[in-house]
């Protein structure tokens, strides 16, 4: 316990084993501080991120590691002996060759990274696992978050499995399925009368007042965010240790997109893949598209909006990493695009019809955005392309409920079935 107390008071890094993580570094001014539960720079209030001293990392060691995100623990801010329980950890979700979707979109070399296969059916299990592992070392005892839905599921479930208390704050307007699939884990779930940005503000205030609460995406955000790098590592490893030519990533706060880029860059720098060029594309719903609007206006300034879209998991009107998303897509030669709620539903149905994968609204955003980018020629039809499908359609059934259903309801007779089939 002494070590964790030392760590919390930021008195030094020597006793704190967070693997290769060496310090927290300001993304704006580069000021560095020892590893601690801090998220804003003391000099300029810029966001802090994890800086590393990577040892020699070999493909063989990764390949021989756990069949989960922990195979990449040498690249993450987690203890060297991070607990790995077979079959219960997130990661190593399937990368699916998507020929039929590719044909529909006019993309000849298409893959879908299907993150619905994680323990609570979204990519958020990755970031929460990393946040929890770091939070444990940093001396916290309660796992907390403000959430647009999937994070609530992931935090409540991870806390339950770890035997921790959880405090989860959600907008009261959230989809019923996401409320129930959080409440079932029996942590403290609080529905707040407000939108996500109100809930987030509340969390920041509570984090300052409750020293032992690890708000995964607030006061331990630098560690949490690194979990998204595992999407990039897996895509590269599953492609046979190669970077794709282009990748389409949904954008809420923008953290995932910037960390996918960071993950690809690290792999190149460490010699684990050839550092070939790739383009990163961001996907938003038009009803909450502050980053797409800024991209199209050619500005660096992301103006907050009031979200109004069925893609609630992406409905962050004031995205913390918005400016960094703009940097990333412009630097790599990508773009940000947005699609209407109607296109989102069409995207969900297209993915289901062509690949047998049922995605939530965020997945519909990604597919529909890829379609739009392909049609406008921004996506190269021949480049190896990956779409990140980050959440499961069972959580957002309402999105398709009034569009799909049985073709007919018939009496239990063979003729009636044949007749209904029109054969
Ligand atoms: C949270 C979330 C994202 C992206 O989150 P960022 O805040 O941009 O990192 C993408 N898809 C789903 C399904 C999510 O829940
Ligand atoms: Zn700074």
């Amino acid at each position: 316990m002494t070590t964790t107390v030392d760590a919390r008071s930021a008195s030094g890094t020597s006793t704190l084993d967070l693997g290769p993580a060496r310090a927290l570094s300001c993304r704006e001014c580069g000021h560095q501080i020892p590893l601690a539960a801090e998220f804003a720079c003391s000099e300029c209030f810029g966001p802090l991120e994890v800086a590393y001293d990577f040892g020699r990392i070999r493909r063989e060691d990764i390949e021989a590691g756990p069949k989960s995100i922990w195979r990449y623990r040498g690249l993450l801010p987690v203890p060297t002996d991070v607990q790995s329980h077979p079959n219960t950890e997130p990661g190593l979700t399937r990368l699916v060759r998507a020929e039929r979707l590719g044909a529909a979109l006019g993309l000849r070399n298409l893959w879908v990274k299907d993150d619905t296969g994680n323990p609570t059916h979204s990519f958020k299990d990755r970031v929460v696992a990393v946040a929890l592992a770091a939070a444990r070392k940093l001396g916290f005892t309660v796992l907390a978050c403000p959430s647009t839905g999937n994070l609530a599921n992931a935090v409540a479930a991870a806390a339950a499995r770890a035997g921790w208390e959880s405090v989860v704050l959600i907008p009261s307007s959230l989809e019923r399925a996401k409320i129930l699939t959080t409440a079932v884990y029996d942590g403290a779930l609080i529905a707040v009368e407000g939108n996500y940005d109100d809930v987030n503000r509340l969390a920041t205030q509570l984090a300052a007042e409750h020293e032992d609460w690890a708000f995964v995406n607030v006061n331990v955000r630098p560690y949490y965010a690194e979990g998204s790098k595992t999407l990039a590592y897996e895509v590269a490893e599953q492609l046979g240790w190669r970077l794709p030519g282009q990748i389409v990533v949904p954008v809420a706060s923008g953290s995932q997109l910037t960390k996918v880029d960071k993950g690809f860059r690290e792999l190149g720098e460490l010699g684990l893949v050839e550092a070939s060029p790739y383009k990163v594309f961001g996907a938003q719903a038009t009803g909450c598209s502050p980053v797409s609007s800024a991209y199209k206006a050619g500005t660096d300034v992301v103006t907050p909006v009031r979200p109004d879209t069925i893609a609630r998991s992406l409905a962050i009107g004031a995205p913390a990493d918005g400016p960094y998303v703009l940097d990333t897509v412009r630097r790599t030669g990508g773009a940000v695009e947005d699609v209407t709620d109607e296109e989102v539903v069409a995207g969900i149905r297209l993915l289901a019809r062509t690949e047998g994968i049922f995605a939530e609204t965020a997945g519909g955003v990604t597919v529909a955005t890829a379609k739009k980018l392909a049609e406008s020629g921004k996506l190269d039809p021949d480049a190896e392309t990956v779409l990140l499908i980050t959440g499961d359609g069972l959580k957002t059934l309402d999105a398709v409920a009034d569009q799909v259903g049985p073709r007919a309801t018939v009496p239990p007779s063979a003729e009636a079935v044949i007749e209904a089939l029109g054969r």
Side-chain angles (χ1 to χ4, degrees):
M1 208 54 204
T2 332
T3 52
T4 53
V5 170
D6 280 348
R8 289 288 296 281
S9 64
S11 63
T13 57
S14 55
T15 54
L16 190 63
D17 170 20
L18 285 177
R22 175 175 48 80
L24 293 179
S25 170
C26 175
R27 278 159 96 174
E28 289 300 318
C29 76
H31 178 67
Q32 295 209 343
I33 63 162
L35 295 169
E38 302 286 340
F39 61 102
C41 176
S42 54
E43 305 291 309
C44 75
F45 300 108
L48 297 172
E49 74 172 338
V50 178
Y52 298 92
D53 268 337
F54 292 124
R56 188 163 125 74
I57 294 169
R58 302 182 315 159
R59 291 178 185 174
E60 305 86 88
D61 296 337
I62 291 172
E63 287 164 354
K67 296 199 179 340
S68 72
I69 58 168
W70 299 138
R71 68 207 276 107
Y72 308 108
R73 64 191 177 283
L75 296 156
L76 296 169
V78 297
T80 317
D81 63 349
V82 65
Q83 288 167 0
S84 184
H85 303 282
N87 306 326
T88 60
E89 308 290 356
L92 275 201
T93 56
R94 55 193 186 143
L95 182 71
V96 179
R97 181 100 185 121
E99 271 172 29
R100 285 166 44 75
L101 177 62
L105 299 182
L107 298 171
R108 285 184 274 276
N109 202 347
L110 184 65
W111 299 85
V112 164
K113 179 64 170 165
D114 178 12
D115 242 17
T116 66
N118 281 315
T120 68
H121 312 284
S122 90
F123 107 100
K124 288 296 196 304
D125 292 311
R126 299 174 181 273
V127 280
V128 169
V130 173
L132 175 60
R136 202 189 289 273
K137 278 285 166 185
L138 291 163
F140 288 98
T141 56
V142 177
L143 205 62
C145 70
S147 172
T148 57
N150 286 313
L151 188 58
N153 292 169
V155 162
R161 255 175 40 71
W164 281 34
E165 280 179 54
S166 63
V167 176
V168 170
L169 309 177
I170 53 168
S172 55
S173 67
L174 212 59
E175 296 97 328
R176 190 174 143 79
K178 282 184 180 155
I179 296 176
L180 297 183
T181 51
T182 303
V184 73
Y185 299 109
D186 234 4
L189 171 65
I190 308 290
V192 178
E193 292 161 349
N195 63 24
Y196 175 78
D197 297 284
D198 299 320
V199 177
N200 192 37
R201 242 188 321 278
L202 200 57
T204 308
Q205 188 187 336
L206 287 164
E209 293 166 2
H210 298 269
E211 285 239 307
D212 52 341
W213 294 10
F215 276 92
V216 294
N217 51 341
V218 180
N219 52 341
V220 291
R221 186 175 181 85
Y223 307 95
Y224 157 96
E226 296 295 294
S228 286
K229 295 193 304 181
T230 59
L231 273 166
Y233 301 152
E234 285 178 25
V235 164
E237 182 180 350
Q238 290 169 324
L239 287 174
W241 294 107
R242 206 173 62 237
L243 301 184
Q246 25 193 37
I247 186 162
V248 185
V249 187
V251 172
S253 73
S255 174
Q256 176 180 158
L257 184 143
T258 62
K259 297 304 176 183
V260 164
D261 170 58
K262 188 180 184 189
F264 283 158
R265 261 186 297 138
E266 286 173 348
L267 292 179
E269 284 161 14
L270 288 164
L272 288 163
V273 299
E274 186 194 324
S276 55
Y278 57 85
K279 296 181 179 181
V280 182
F281 292 84
Q284 293 207 296
T286 306
C288 182
S289 53
V291 187
S292 177
S293 301
Y295 173 79
K296 290 174 182 173
T299 161
D300 296 334
V301 182
V302 177
T303 308
V305 301
R306 185 166 283 277
D308 179 15
T309 169
I310 58 168
R312 294 213 186 85
S313 58
L314 301 180
I316 299 185
D321 289 280
Y324 301 108
V325 169
L326 294 169
D327 283 353
T328 303
V329 300
R330 287 179 179 140
R331 174 169 44 75
T332 63
V336 190
E337 187 53 272
D338 57 88
V339 289
T340 65
D341 284 359
E342 224 168 52
E343 292 171 303
V344 171
V345 174
I348 293 173
R349 297 187 62 189
L350 178 62
L351 178 64
R353 184 164 70 235
T354 54
E355 298 299 334
I357 296 171
F358 184 22
E360 71 145 84
T361 45
V365 169
T366 300
V367 171
T369 298
K371 180 166 189 283
K372 202 163 168 183
L373 290 166
E375 283 165 2
S376 68
K378 292 199 175 104
L379 279 175
D380 175 350
D382 293 309
E384 192 152 52
T385 305
V386 175
L387 308 185
L388 295 187
I389 300 303
T390 48
D392 195 318
L394 289 173
K395 296 194 204 184
T396 59
L397 287 174
D398 284 351
V400 293
D402 59 3
Q403 287 201 10
V404 300
R407 201 176 281 184
T409 302
V410 300
S413 102
E415 295 98 81
V417 171
I418 297 301
E419 195 189 333
L421 288 171
R423 298 263 164 107

